[in-house]
Amino acid sequence: MSECTHVAELPRPEPVPHALTCPECEVLGSHPVQLRMCLGCGYVGCCDSSPHRHATAHHQETGHPVMRSFEPGETWRWCFVDGSIV
């Protein structure tokens, strides 16, 4: 894992998740494959293995750079800007 400049800019403590699942998938009747949480605002969205890729769409719409896995037992984080685990 590497450190990127975006990690230092994240709010502390991390934001509270806005939902327990991807709300856009719920509206569409789709099932998210894996969940991700934006570390900038707490948005919860589905991963790129899901049909609608809402976590990536959130990054593209907001510019929020770092998310983390929202799956039980997983703690890894991903920087969309740097394209790496951080």
Side-chain angles (χ1 to χ4, degrees), residues 25-41:
C25 281
E26 277 193 319
V27 168
L28 294 169
S30 181
H31 180 73
V33 175
Q34 296 271 317
L35 296 172
R36 311 293 182 236
M37 185 180 87
C38 174
L39 291 177
C41 69

Side-chain angles (χ1 to χ4, degrees), residues 12-32:
R12 305 273 196 267
E14 84 177 27
V16 175
H18 289 189
L20 296 177
T21 191
C22 179
E24 284 87 354
C25 281
E26 277 193 319
V27 168
L28 294 169
S30 181
H31 180 73

Side-chain angles (χ1 to χ4, degrees), residues 36-77:
R36 311 293 182 236
M37 185 180 87
C38 174
L39 291 177
C41 69
Y43 169 84
V44 175
C46 59
C47 75
D48 286 356
S49 294
S50 296
H52 302 287
R53 303 174 50 166
H54 290 119
T56 295
H58 175 75
H59 160 68
Q60 292 168 342
E61 292 166 10
T62 65
H64 296 167
V66 183
M67 64 86 184
R68 73 165 175 85
S69 174
F70 197 58
E71 294 298 316
E74 294 183 4
T75 59
W76 60 270
R77 302 177 296 181

